[in-house]
Each structure stands twice: as structure tokens, then as C-alpha cells.
Amino acid sequence: MADIFKSIPKPSLALNCVGGKSAAELMRHMMDSGTVVTYGAMSKQPLMINTGSLIFNDLRIRGFWMTKWKEVHAKDETEKMLKEITSVIKTGQLKPPTNRVVKLDNFKDAVAKSMESYVTEKQILVME
């Protein structure tokens, strides 16, 4: 990560869907006064937060739950948000992760591949 941030600025926003140790790793690479938004807990572990990041780097930790957001915001706000996200996707600013399409009949191959160390592509099962 250190090499990456030699050529681009550190992020001011991080989106965390895993929790656990990965939250602390995200925080290590954040710009001062940045915000980490947690919206999932795939690791099923509590967030590990470095107190120094909060104090010395003035980082903020937020939680986000889409169901609650939709309860609070009007339907037109939800539509506005979806249009904004769609626009970002259409302009190429947001791209899906590398993926591999696998027929459902070959699900064992997809599961085995997803269990390998350091796999960077998502396995997408399709039914035909």
C-alpha cells in the first residue's frame, strides 16, 4: 500500500464491509481527518480500531445501515441516490471487481477457487 500512495493521495473516505482487523488496516492508510464507514461485518469480528488513529489523525468512524437510511429518507431521496450511483458507474469512476463467471454445475470449482489465498477475482455463479 505504501507504494500505491506514493503516486496517489491517501483516501479521505474508506468503506468497510468486513470489520475485524481490516478496519485497522484501512485506518492506517487514511488521510488525516478522514472517515471510515462500516456497513457490514463479514468477518463476524468486532472492529479493531487504533486509538492513535482517532486521536492523532482525527479519523472518524461511522456506521451505515441501508434499511434504516431508507426508513428515514423519503422515496425521492432513495431514487436520487440510486441515480447518482448509476451516473458514477456510467462514467467509469466505479467499476466492478475482477470476476469469473462459473456455471452452477461447476460450483465446486468456484468454491475451491474462492478459498485459495490471495484470490482477487469474485466467483459469479450463473444458472442457465
Side-chain angles (χ1 to χ4, degrees), residues 7 28 31 42 54 86 101 107-108 111-113 120 127:
S7 60
R28 280 185 351 105
M31 176 183 291
M42 290 173 51
L54 298 176
T86 302
V101 176
F107 76 92
K108 289 181 182 179
V111 171
K113 183 72 173 171
T120 58
M127 292 183 263

Side-chain angles (χ1 to χ4, degrees), residues 21-39:
K21 293 179 183 177
S22 70
E25 185 62 20
L26 283 172
M27 293 174 74
R28 280 185 351 105
H29 301 289
M30 296 288 297
M31 176 183 291
D32 285 358
S33 301
T35 302
V36 177
V37 178
T38 296
Y39 64 95

Side-chain angles (χ1 to χ4, degrees), residues 34-70:
T35 302
V36 177
V37 178
T38 296
Y39 64 95
M42 290 173 51
S43 72
K44 298 182 181 175
Q45 298 295 315
L47 291 180
M48 297 187 78
I49 299 171
N50 179 336
T51 305
S53 295
L54 298 176
I55 297 169
F56 304 118
N57 302 105
D58 191 29
L59 293 184
R60 289 154 181 82
I61 309 294
R62 298 289 315 249
F64 178 79
W65 183 30
M66 180 60 122
T67 302
K68 184 62 144 181
W69 188 89
K70 289 170 91 174

